[in-house]
Amino acid sequence: MFAVFALIGMTFSPIGEELFYRGLVHESFVAGLGENRAALVDAAAFALVHLAHFGLVWRGTGWALLPLPALWWLCGLFAAALAFTWARRASGSILGAVAAHAAFNLVMTAWIFYGLRV
């Protein structure tokens, strides 16, 4: 199961999300805001979209926001998105961001499967 989840997490999300966030969203804001502020915008959008993964839960009668876990998750994903932007800049290609995102997802999947032993 680990291999299945890791393979999916290392391909579909990194390719699609990096083309969208570090590609389309980022480039849409560069002309008006500059590189650094555009990076903040795409990182914020990336983090907010991922709130559905952690911190926002269904409680049987409706959705509930868990403020502290949500804040922790948003900050972590915001930082990860900035790291993906750095990888794009350092590599000179969106492929750097895709590779960094794939590595992040691999480590996260390994942690879920093997690090969270309960």
Coordinates of all heavy atoms in Angstrom, one line a residue, residues 17-61:
E17 N -0.3 20.4 -9.4 CA -0.2 21.5 -8.5 C 0.9 22.5 -8.8 O 0.7 23.7 -8.7 CB -0.2 21.1 -7.0 CG -1.5 20.4 -6.6 CD -1.4 19.9 -5.1 OE1 -0.3 20.0 -4.5 OE2 -2.5 19.5 -4.6
E18 N 2.0 22.0 -9.1 CA 3.2 22.9 -9.5 C 2.9 23.7 -10.8 O 3.2 24.8 -10.9 CB 4.5 22.2 -9.5 CG 4.9 21.7 -8.1 CD 4.8 22.7 -7.0 OE1 5.2 23.9 -7.2 OE2 4.2 22.4 -5.9
L19 N 2.3 23.0 -11.8 CA 2.0 23.7 -13.0 C 1.0 24.8 -12.7 O 1.1 25.9 -13.2 CB 1.4 22.7 -14.0 CG 2.4 21.8 -14.7 CD1 1.7 20.8 -15.6 CD2 3.5 22.6 -15.5
F20 N 0.1 24.5 -11.8 CA -1.0 25.5 -11.4 C -0.4 26.6 -10.5 O -0.4 27.8 -10.9 CB -2.2 24.9 -10.8 CG -3.3 25.8 -10.5 CD1 -4.0 26.4 -11.5 CD2 -3.5 26.2 -9.2 CE1 -5.0 27.3 -11.2 CE2 -4.6 27.1 -8.9 CZ -5.3 27.7 -9.9
Y21 N 0.2 26.3 -9.3 CA 0.6 27.3 -8.3 C 1.9 28.0 -8.7 O 1.9 29.2 -8.7 CB 0.7 26.7 -6.9 CG -0.7 26.3 -6.4 CD1 -1.1 25.0 -6.4 CD2 -1.6 27.3 -6.0 CE1 -2.4 24.6 -5.9 CE2 -2.9 26.9 -5.5 CZ -3.2 25.6 -5.5 OH -4.5 25.3 -5.1
R22 N 2.9 27.2 -9.0 CA 4.2 27.9 -9.3 C 4.3 28.2 -10.7 O 5.2 29.0 -11.2 CB 5.4 26.9 -8.9 CG 6.1 27.3 -7.6 CD 5.3 27.4 -6.4 NE 4.7 26.2 -6.0 CZ 3.7 26.1 -5.1 NH1 3.2 27.2 -4.5 NH2 3.2 24.9 -4.7
G23 N 3.3 27.8 -11.5 CA 3.3 28.2 -12.9 C 2.3 29.3 -13.2 O 2.6 30.4 -13.1
L24 N 1.0 28.9 -13.3 CA -0.1 29.8 -13.7 C -0.3 30.9 -12.6 O -0.3 32.1 -13.0 CB -1.4 29.0 -14.0 CG -2.6 29.8 -14.4 CD1 -2.3 30.4 -15.8 CD2 -3.8 29.0 -14.4
V25 N -0.6 30.5 -11.4 CA -0.9 31.5 -10.4 C 0.3 32.4 -10.2 O 0.2 33.7 -10.2 CB -1.3 30.8 -9.0 CG1 -1.4 31.8 -7.9 CG2 -2.6 30.0 -9.2
H26 N 1.5 31.9 -10.0 CA 2.7 32.7 -9.8 C 2.9 33.7 -10.9 O 3.1 34.9 -10.7 CB 3.9 31.8 -9.6 CG 5.1 32.6 -9.2 ND1 5.5 32.9 -8.0 CD2 6.1 33.1 -10.0 CE1 6.6 33.6 -8.0 NE2 7.0 33.7 -9.2
E27 N 2.9 33.2 -12.1 CA 3.2 34.0 -13.3 C 2.1 35.1 -13.5 O 2.4 36.1 -14.0 CB 3.4 33.2 -14.5 CG 4.7 32.3 -14.5 CD 5.9 33.2 -14.2 OE1 6.1 34.3 -14.8 OE2 6.8 32.7 -13.4
S28 N 0.9 34.8 -13.1 CA -0.2 35.8 -13.2 C 0.0 37.0 -12.3 O -0.5 38.1 -12.6 CB -1.5 35.1 -12.8 OG -1.8 34.1 -13.8
F29 N 0.8 36.8 -11.2 CA 1.0 37.9 -10.3 C 2.3 38.6 -10.4 O 2.5 39.6 -9.8 CB 0.8 37.4 -8.8 CG -0.7 37.2 -8.5 CD1 -1.3 35.9 -8.6 CD2 -1.5 38.3 -8.1 CE1 -2.6 35.7 -8.3 CE2 -2.8 38.1 -7.8 CZ -3.4 36.8 -7.9
V30 N 3.3 38.0 -11.1 CA 4.6 38.5 -11.2 C 4.7 40.0 -11.7 O 5.3 40.8 -11.2 CB 5.6 37.6 -12.0 CG1 6.9 38.3 -12.3 CG2 5.8 36.3 -11.2
A31 N 4.0 40.2 -12.8 CA 4.0 41.5 -13.5 C 3.5 42.6 -12.5 O 4.1 43.7 -12.5 CB 3.2 41.5 -14.7
G32 N 2.5 42.4 -11.8 CA 1.9 43.4 -10.9 C 2.6 43.5 -9.5 O 2.6 44.5 -8.9
L33 N 3.1 42.3 -9.0 CA 3.6 42.3 -7.6 C 5.1 42.0 -7.5 O 5.7 42.3 -6.5 CB 2.9 41.2 -6.9 CG 1.4 41.3 -6.7 CD1 0.8 40.1 -6.0 CD2 1.0 42.6 -6.0
G34 N 5.7 41.5 -8.6 CA 7.1 41.1 -8.5 C 7.2 39.7 -8.0 O 6.3 39.1 -7.6
E35 N 8.4 39.1 -8.2 CA 8.7 37.7 -7.9 C 8.4 37.3 -6.4 O 7.7 36.3 -6.2 CB 10.1 37.3 -8.2 CG 10.4 37.2 -9.7 CD 9.8 35.9 -10.3 OE1 9.6 34.9 -9.5 OE2 9.6 35.9 -11.5
N36 N 8.9 38.1 -5.5 CA 8.7 37.7 -4.1 C 7.3 37.8 -3.6 O 6.8 36.9 -2.9 CB 9.6 38.6 -3.2 CG 11.1 38.3 -3.5 OD1 11.4 37.2 -3.9 ND2 11.9 39.3 -3.2
R37 N 6.6 38.9 -4.0 CA 5.2 39.0 -3.5 C 4.3 37.9 -4.3 O 3.3 37.4 -3.7 CB 4.6 40.4 -3.8 CG 5.2 41.3 -2.8 CD 4.5 42.7 -2.8 NE 5.1 43.6 -1.9 CZ 5.4 44.8 -2.1 NH1 5.2 45.4 -3.3 NH2 5.9 45.6 -1.2
A38 N 4.6 37.6 -5.5 CA 3.9 36.6 -6.3 C 4.1 35.3 -5.6 O 3.1 34.5 -5.5 CB 4.3 36.5 -7.7
A39 N 5.3 35.0 -5.0 CA 5.5 33.8 -4.3 C 4.7 33.7 -3.1 O 4.2 32.6 -2.7 CB 7.0 33.7 -4.0
L40 N 4.5 34.8 -2.4 CA 3.6 34.8 -1.2 C 2.2 34.6 -1.5 O 1.5 33.8 -0.8 CB 3.8 36.2 -0.5 CG 5.1 36.5 0.1 CD1 5.1 37.9 0.7 CD2 5.6 35.5 1.1
V41 N 1.7 35.1 -2.7 CA 0.3 34.8 -3.1 C 0.2 33.4 -3.5 O -0.8 32.7 -3.0 CB 0.0 35.7 -4.3 CG1 -1.3 35.3 -4.9 CG2 -0.1 37.2 -3.9
D42 N 1.1 32.8 -4.3 CA 0.9 31.4 -4.6 C 1.0 30.5 -3.4 O 0.3 29.5 -3.3 CB 1.7 31.0 -5.8 CG 3.2 30.8 -5.6 OD1 3.5 29.9 -4.7 OD2 4.0 31.4 -6.2
A43 N 1.9 30.8 -2.5 CA 2.1 30.0 -1.3 C 0.8 30.1 -0.4 O 0.4 29.1 0.1 CB 3.3 30.5 -0.5
A44 N 0.2 31.3 -0.3 CA -1.0 31.4 0.5 C -2.2 30.6 -0.2 O -2.9 29.9 0.5 CB -1.4 32.9 0.6
A45 N -2.3 30.7 -1.5 CA -3.4 30.0 -2.2 C -3.2 28.5 -2.0 O -4.1 27.7 -1.7 CB -3.4 30.3 -3.6
F46 N -1.9 28.0 -2.1 CA -1.6 26.6 -2.0 C -1.9 26.1 -0.6 O -2.6 25.1 -0.4 CB -0.1 26.4 -2.2 CG 0.4 25.0 -2.1 CD1 0.3 24.1 -3.2 CD2 1.0 24.5 -1.0 CE1 0.7 22.8 -3.1 CE2 1.5 23.2 -0.9 CZ 1.4 22.4 -1.9
A47 N -1.6 26.9 0.4 CA -1.8 26.5 1.8 C -3.3 26.4 2.1 O -3.8 25.5 2.8 CB -1.1 27.4 2.8
L48 N -4.0 27.5 1.7 CA -5.5 27.5 1.9 C -6.2 26.3 1.3 O -7.1 25.8 1.9 CB -6.1 28.8 1.5 CG -5.7 30.0 2.4 CD1 -6.1 31.3 1.7 CD2 -6.4 29.9 3.7
V49 N -5.9 26.0 0.1 CA -6.5 24.9 -0.6 C -6.3 23.6 0.2 O -7.2 22.7 0.3 CB -6.1 24.8 -2.1 CG1 -6.4 23.4 -2.7 CG2 -6.6 25.9 -2.9
H50 N -5.1 23.4 0.7 CA -4.8 22.2 1.5 C -5.3 22.1 2.9 O -5.2 21.1 3.6 CB -3.3 22.0 1.5 CG -2.7 21.6 0.1 ND1 -2.5 22.4 -0.9 CD2 -2.4 20.3 -0.3 CE1 -2.1 21.8 -1.9 NE2 -2.0 20.5 -1.6
L51 N -6.1 23.2 3.3 CA -6.7 23.1 4.6 C -7.7 22.0 4.7 O -7.9 21.4 5.7 CB -7.4 24.5 4.8 CG -8.1 24.6 6.2 CD1 -7.0 24.5 7.3 CD2 -8.8 26.0 6.3
A52 N -8.2 21.6 3.5 CA -9.2 20.5 3.5 C -8.5 19.1 3.9 O -9.2 18.2 4.3 CB -9.8 20.3 2.1
H53 N -7.2 19.1 3.9 CA -6.5 17.9 4.3 C -6.4 17.7 5.8 O -6.1 16.6 6.3 CB -5.1 17.8 3.7 CG -5.1 17.6 2.2 ND1 -5.5 16.4 1.6 CD2 -4.8 18.4 1.2 CE1 -5.4 16.5 0.3 NE2 -5.0 17.7 0.1
F54 N -6.4 18.8 6.5 CA -6.1 18.8 8.0 C -6.6 20.1 8.6 O -6.3 21.2 8.2 CB -4.6 18.7 8.2 CG -4.1 18.4 9.5 CD1 -4.3 17.1 10.0 CD2 -3.6 19.4 10.3 CE1 -3.9 16.8 11.3 CE2 -3.2 19.1 11.6 CZ -3.3 17.8 12.1
G55 N -7.4 19.9 9.7 CA -7.9 21.1 10.4 C -9.3 21.4 10.1 O -10.0 22.1 10.8
L56 N -9.8 20.9 9.0 CA -11.2 21.1 8.6 C -11.8 19.7 8.6 O -11.4 18.8 7.8 CB -11.3 21.7 7.2 CG -12.7 22.2 6.7 CD1 -13.3 23.2 7.6 CD2 -12.6 22.7 5.3
V57 N -12.8 19.5 9.5 CA -13.3 18.1 9.7 C -14.8 18.1 9.6 O -15.5 19.1 10.0 CB -12.8 17.5 11.0 CG1 -11.3 17.3 11.0 CG2 -13.3 18.3 12.2
W58 N -15.4 16.9 9.2 CA -16.8 16.7 9.2 C -17.2 16.2 10.6 O -16.7 15.2 11.0 CB -17.2 15.8 8.1 CG -18.6 15.5 8.1 CD1 -19.3 14.4 8.5 CD2 -19.7 16.3 7.6 NE1 -20.6 14.4 8.3 CE2 -20.9 15.7 7.7 CE3 -19.7 17.6 7.0 CZ2 -22.1 16.2 7.3 CZ3 -20.9 18.1 6.6 CH2 -22.1 17.5 6.8
R59 N -18.2 16.8 11.2 CA -18.6 16.4 12.6 C -20.0 15.7 12.6 O -20.7 15.8 13.6 CB -18.6 17.6 13.5 CG -17.3 18.2 13.7 CD -16.7 17.6 15.0 NE -15.3 18.0 15.2 CZ -14.8 18.4 16.3 NH1 -15.6 18.3 17.4 NH2 -13.6 18.7 16.4
G60 N -20.4 15.1 11.5 CA -21.8 14.5 11.4 C -22.9 15.5 11.1 O -23.8 15.1 10.3
T61 N -22.8 16.6 11.6 CA -23.9 17.6 11.4 C -23.4 18.8 10.5 O -24.2 19.7 10.1 CB -24.5 18.2 12.7 OG1 -23.4 18.8 13.4 CG2 -25.1 17.1 13.5

